[in-house]
């Protein structure tokens, strides 16, 4: 699930927002849920938890950089902080 959720950040619009906004959230959640639909966990809760934590903990510029890396190379290594956020959200929703 972690890899599936992380890949979705590459699906934000190419309009390049300059901060987290409604469009960024909607695109992140939509892509996250679509990519995590096959998982047994509560995908909607994991996706919302992940987005909320990313907004709280990761500056938008860093999110943008990560997004650009994934756009350039879908196999790029995942950011450790984002991986930890998603894993924590999976644990929270599983309990």
């Amino acid at each position: 699930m972690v890899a599936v959720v992380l890949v979705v950040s590459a699906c934000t619009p190419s309009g390049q927002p300059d901060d987290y906004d409604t469009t960024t959230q909607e695109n992140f959640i939509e892509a996250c849920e679509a990519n995590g639909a096959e998982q047994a966990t509560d995908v909607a809760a994991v996706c919302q938890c992940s987005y909320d934590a990313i907004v709280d903990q990761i500056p938008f510029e860093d999110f943008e950089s990560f997004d650009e890396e994934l756009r350039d190379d879908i196999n790029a290594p995942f950011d450790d902080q984002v991986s930890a956020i998603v894993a924590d959200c999976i644990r929270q929703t599983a309990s």
Side-chain angles (χ1 to χ4, degrees):
M1 177 73 176
V2 174
V4 171
V5 173
L6 293 176
V7 170
V8 303
S9 65
C11 298
T12 57
S14 59
Q16 296 303 327
D18 57 4
D19 202 357
Y20 293 109
D21 61 14
T22 304
T23 302
T24 305
Q25 179 178 11
E26 289 172 356
N27 286 330
F28 181 93
I29 299 296
E30 180 181 318
C32 176
E33 289 179 356
N35 286 302
E38 299 170 7
Q39 305 299 320
T41 188
D42 184 351
V43 175
V46 170
C47 294
Q48 187 63 57
C49 174
S50 298
Y51 182 80
D52 292 343
I54 287 168
V55 170
D56 288 343
Q57 299 175 33
I58 298 177
F60 185 75
E61 295 78 22
D62 294 347
F63 177 82
E64 260 187 325
S65 294
F66 181 61
D67 180 55
E68 288 176 22
E69 287 176 26
L70 287 176
R71 286 174 194 250
D72 292 341
D73 179 6
I74 197 66
N75 296 315
F78 295 123
D79 179 86
D80 291 339
Q81 187 177 9
V82 175
S83 295
I85 287 170
V86 175
D88 187 50
C89 288
I90 291 169
R91 280 190 298 276
Q92 287 179 34
T93 59
S95 52

